[in-house]
Amino acid sequence: MAAAWEELANKYGPTHEDVLIGEVDCGRWPGYDNVTKIGIPSMCSIHGIKEYPTVRAFSPFFGLHGMNYSGESEPEPLNAFLEKQLTKICKVTQGDQGYVASAVCSTQDANYMHQWGQKSPVQVETELKRLKTVFFKAVNEQIETTKHFEWMGHRINILKQLNRLAPPQEAKDEL
């Protein structure tokens, strides 16, 4: 299975905007079945990993514990699984009349995109930083409601895309 994941990691690479492939060996972590030496629940116990290998996809859309993958361990089915998950992500493009939401975007996503598409790049970047802070605080404190994570993930995704599509800022003349 490691070879299949390495092949996918090479395909998607470290700069892919929606996919990051990583590995944790729960058998090597101290306290992998319960708590670490300093009393903090281990990553493996937090996520309920009890059998190996366990393959999970993590995204703000899947909540704190991710989504299990139980298909074949060859590159093609793993890639198909990732591609299927990626098609569920709302995409924002630049059209002739402004920003356009893809067909998978909900009405709520499209409304949010239009609202924030009218803002300056600085405002979008500020809101993106704020939402990421709130999101990671919730993750660290293990506060989870599925709706909270899903909508937070959608907003972060939309703002990242608006930020990337924004025209470059013109330099201000200093007096």
Side-chain angles (χ1 to χ4, degrees):
M1 182 174 264
W5 279 110
E6 285 176 26
E7 185 175 320
L8 288 177
N10 290 332
K11 174 185 176 183
Y12 288 101
T15 59
H16 193 281
E17 65 188 44
D18 296 315
V19 176
L20 176 65
I21 296 178
E23 165 185 22
V24 175
D25 185 343
C26 288
R28 290 187 180 183
W29 280 60
Y32 69 91
D33 57 351
N34 193 7
V35 295
T36 62
K37 291 179 182 176
I38 58 173
I40 300 170
S42 72
M43 179 187 303
C44 301
S45 66
I46 287 171
H47 295 289
I49 296 173
K50 298 184 185 331
E51 57 186 65
Y52 311 103
T54 297
V55 177
R56 242 184 230 162
F58 288 92
S59 160
F61 308 110
F62 302 147
L64 182 60
H65 298 291
M67 183 171 88
N68 283 331
Y69 170 77
S70 57
E72 297 175 43
S73 60
E74 297 301 314
E76 295 81 20
L78 286 167
N79 185 59
F81 169 76
L82 287 173
E83 291 294 328
K84 182 178 178 184
Q85 300 316 309
L86 291 173
T87 63
K88 298 176 184 177
I89 296 173
C90 176
K91 297 289 185 188
V92 177
T93 56
Q94 183 73 48
D96 293 337
Q97 303 296 317
Y99 296 113
V100 179
S102 65
V104 299
C105 299
S106 68
T107 302
Q108 187 178 27
D109 290 336
N111 290 339
Y112 188 80
M113 178 204 65
H114 289 295
Q115 173 193 351
W116 281 92
Q118 303 300 315
K119 310 269 184 181
S120 74
V122 171
Q123 290 172 307
V124 171
E125 180 64 28
T126 301
E127 179 65 1
L128 180 59
K129 286 178 183 175
R130 186 190 74 78
L131 286 178
K132 284 181 177 180
T133 300
V134 170
F135 178 80
F136 288 113
K137 182 179 182 204
V139 168
N140 289 336
E141 295 176 4
Q142 296 182 29
I143 300 168
E144 178 179 12
T145 62
T146 302
K147 288 287 185 198
H148 174 79
F149 272 90
E150 285 178 12
W151 179 226
M152 184 79 64
H154 286 254
R155 290 190 288 177
I156 289 170
N157 170 50
I158 290 166
L159 291 173
K160 280 175 32 182
Q161 293 180 71
L162 289 173
N163 205 14
R164 200 172 38 257
L165 291 170
Q169 290 285 347
E170 292 182 19
K172 304 251 187 214
D173 292 332
E174 293 191 31
L175 300 174

